[in-house]
Amino acid sequence: MRALEKEITWTESVIKEDQISKFMKSGRDFINDEEIWQKIRTNTSPEKQEIREILQKSLSIETLTPDEAAKLLNVKDEELWKEIFEVAAQVKTKVYDNRIVTFAPLYCSNYCVNNCLYCGFRRDNTLEKRRRLSLEEVKNEARVLAGEIGHKRLIAVYGEHPLSDARYIADTIEAIYSVKVPTRGGVGQIRRVNINAAPMSVEDLEMLREIGIGTYQVFQETYHHETYARIHPPGTLKSHYQWRLYSMHRALEAGVDDVAIGALFGLYDWRFEVLALLYHAIELESMFDGVGPHTISFPRLQPALGAPYTQETKYLVSDEDFKKLVTVLRLAIPYSGMIITARERAEIRRELMPICTQTDASTRIGIGAYRESTNRQESERQQFLLGDTRSLDEVIRELAEMGYITSFCTAGYRCGRTGDRIMKLLRTGREGKFCKLNAILTFREWLDDFASEETKKIGEELIQREMNEIKEKTPVDFSERVYQELQVYYKRIQNGERDLYF
Amino acid sequence: MANATSTFNESFLAAFLEIAEAVKSEFGVYLQVAEILGKRWSFVAGEPEGSTFLPSKRLMLNEHLGLIAENWEVLPREKQEEILSVLREKLAVTRGM
Ligand code: SF4
């Protein structure tokens, strides 16, 4: 009873209405369902030429308007879709080069006060085994991730509950950062911790900012007001649509300057969600000096134990539509990172890799699962089931065979490439150059510390090609000095130094 | 960003921007100021796009603020020291740090 009372008191204290209303205009939020539908309904049958002009705009790394994005969504010609996909891949390369950043999710707690109908962690799901990791257990997870698999970047995930409040989040992040593990050639360490956590007050976000979180990620799940109300039962914290919608406004106000948005596709019509994500990006850009979402996620609804809506929904997204939605997002918000996760099957990930920037591998989403479990999926301690359980080594090898270099770079946020600065670097295509250099250095580290012989061989061939490319681009894209410095850093890493970056 | 600006005042910012502009045009050195938050160095002010792609040097001005410098090595040592001491002084005067 005590615990329940405490939970109720805590729940009542979370939402601060004044931290929402100040951003709203005439009592309305920035998602106008009618307007979005009107854009989708009126921008039908676009001319080929019109579409090509939109593609050119995207190639110059300008955010599209909702009308332009709606036109892309309404293209029916499959040949034209191929062209659209190719340009989306060019946009990705222009902004981020051919690198794919990898990360791993670290689920810290699955206690949750909410009751979302599509989620295995929901309060009423009695089949779920509840657990919150102690700080020592968090460190144990980080030891496996940093010392055995070789990850450098995590996204720590928390349910919404007093047991996993902002203080706990801060403590877990510090615990993760404190871990150092000897590896074959050097030291393994997590260098960037992003978080996926519930909407918070400005005060809580300020505390997290002080300890140096990476990116703060909150998904709206669905932007459609009515659907949102239906699947987030009244009386729960999460039923407050605007408290969630304005999470990123509060984060940016608190000085957390890398924010990430997303929608859970399958809850409502995918075309609506794509346009709503674009409206969200435009709203942030206009309110915060051009700072939009650092990344966008587009998880697809997956079956989950004790989550009835995952079976009932009529909005599940087919593979074909999924490819289209990711493509339009890539083009509509061209500077933003795009995360495709292990929720998706290997073949879908393969197909979408040309337009995505980040992915996870060796993923385990059970609480404590990196340390404790085999690669087996356990529905009673996972939020959903994964579509791809391959190891990081396998995924990296495949990416290398496809010509993509896996990057473990975490340099940007440690040398001021954050907030409006990173936005400008991305929009001008300059960040891509840092990406290229840092991908080589961090990939070399990983090959020496963790790769299988087979992956190492393929990886080294890829590095050689990357080096040659940089040489060819010198002195036009890179100065002679940059090229020389890269050689020096590369040798130092081969000799056992770690964490050198541009 | 909103909070970062509260750790120093306008006179520090004005001094920094003046120095940044001068070293950019005279030496091709690009400077930014960042707020230090754990591992994170969060951009506050300066040349947003950088230019050299060389590894940048991170220099602490005090426990909250750092200077990020591209091409720092080309500056004569006395110039480097002068820049750091002017900025540190400004911070010490304005915040008592
Ligand atoms: S989706 Fe998030 S808030 Fe909803 S029940 Fe699951 S963990 Fe809790």
Side-chain angles (χ1 to χ4, degrees), chain A residues 473-490:
Chain A
K473 288 182 173 172
T474 304
V476 179
D477 286 355
F478 299 98
S479 68
E480 194 59 49
R481 233 180 105 200
V482 168
Y483 181 70
Q484 294 307 334
E485 201 75 41
L486 175 67
Q487 305 303 315
V488 172
Y489 270 25
Y490 188 76

Side-chain angles (χ1 to χ4, degrees), chain A residues 39 67 93 126 151 183 194 241 264 270 293 348 355 393 456:
Chain A
K39 302 277 179 211
D67 283 303
T93 310
T126 49
H151 279 294
T183 58
N194 302 329
Y241 179 98
L264 180 52
W270 61 273
I348 297 289
I355 59 174
D393 190 81
K456 197 169 180 177

Side-chain angles (χ1 to χ4, degrees), chain B residues 24-76:
Chain B
K24 184 172 102 179
S25 50
E26 197 179 340
F27 300 97
V29 171
Y30 292 82
L31 299 180
Q32 294 107 28
V33 166
E35 193 177 16
I36 303 168
L37 303 156
K39 278 187 192 294
R40 183 184 189 90
W41 283 48
S42 235
F43 177 70
V44 173
E47 170 59 49
E49 291 174 29
S51 183
T52 62
F53 301 112
L54 287 164
S56 42
K57 199 150 190 81
R58 300 190 310 173
L59 302 144
M60 284 181 76
L61 295 174
N62 65 18
E63 60 178 311
H64 302 293
L65 283 182
L67 186 70
I68 298 168
E70 283 182 55
N71 226 4
W72 182 247
E73 306 68 34
V74 306
L75 289 178

Side-chain angles (χ1 to χ4, degrees), chain A residues 373-416:
Chain A
S373 75
T374 58
N375 219 6
R376 193 170 60 85
Q377 298 213 57
E378 298 160 296
S379 55
E380 71 286 0
R381 64 168 172 175
Q382 294 184 188
Q383 197 180 21
F384 52 87
L385 295 177
L386 296 169
D388 185 358
T389 53
R390 286 176 302 162
S391 71
L392 183 58
D393 190 81
E394 285 170 276
V395 171
I396 285 180
R397 187 161 64 242
E398 180 179 278
L399 289 172
E401 282 162 352
M402 291 165 71
Y404 297 108
I405 183 162
T406 301
S407 176
F408 293 85
C409 174
T410 55
Y413 95 120
R414 291 186 288 155
C415 46

Side-chain angles (χ1 to χ4, degrees), chain A residues 111-293:
Chain A
Y111 284 94
C112 190
V113 295
N114 294 311
N115 223 349
C116 314
L117 298 186
Y118 49 85
C119 175
F121 287 176
R122 70 199 191 93
R123 193 186 57 206
D124 288 354
N125 181 10
T126 49
L127 303 170
E128 187 76 15
K129 288 185 188 156
R130 303 288 164 177
R131 184 168 168 201
R132 182 189 82 152
L133 296 180
S134 69
L135 296 183
E136 199 42 48
E137 287 169 328
V138 168
K139 286 184 196 169
N140 285 339
E141 295 286 273
R143 281 183 193 112
V144 176
L145 286 157
E148 292 172 26
I149 303 171
H151 279 294
K152 304 281 184 275
R153 176 189 295 243
L154 299 185
I155 180 136
V157 185
Y158 312 83
E160 184 163 27
H161 196 273
L163 285 173
S164 53
D165 62 4
R167 185 66 262 161
Y168 172 75
I169 294 173
D171 291 344
T172 52
I173 293 170
E174 286 180 329
I176 295 165
Y177 278 139
S178 73
V179 165
K180 280 191 186 147
V181 199
T183 58
R184 274 196 318 235
V187 172
Q189 202 176 5
I190 299 299
R191 298 176 187 156
R192 177 171 182 145
V193 185
N194 302 329
I195 65 165
N196 176 305
M200 278 176 244
S201 65
V202 172
E203 295 75 20
D204 281 348
L205 287 158
E206 280 171 349
M207 176 170 77
L208 294 179
R209 168 182 176 275
E210 290 298 316
I211 61 148
I213 59 169
T215 306
Y216 176 52
Q217 182 185 65
V218 176
F219 301 156
Q220 186 63 21
E221 319 294 14
T222 175
Y223 285 87
H224 187 248
H225 289 80
E226 197 190 310
T227 307
Y228 188 94
R230 196 145 33 85
I231 59 182
H232 300 109
T236 59
L237 262 180
K238 198 159 166 179
S239 66
H240 199 313
Y241 179 98
Q242 282 86 12
W243 177 244
R244 197 165 189 88
L245 188 67
Y246 287 99
S247 304
M248 297 308 156
H249 289 63
R250 293 193 297 279
L252 286 157
E253 190 180 270
V256 173
D257 51 6
D258 287 325
V259 296
I261 61 174
L264 180 52
F265 283 87
L267 297 176
Y268 188 59
D269 189 287
W270 61 273
R271 295 167 305 164
F272 181 95
E273 306 291 14
V274 168
L275 283 200
L277 282 162
L278 174 58
Y279 272 95
H280 200 164
I282 291 170
E283 161 80 9
L284 294 175
E285 287 177 23
S286 73
M287 295 282 295
F288 298 97
D289 294 334
V291 178

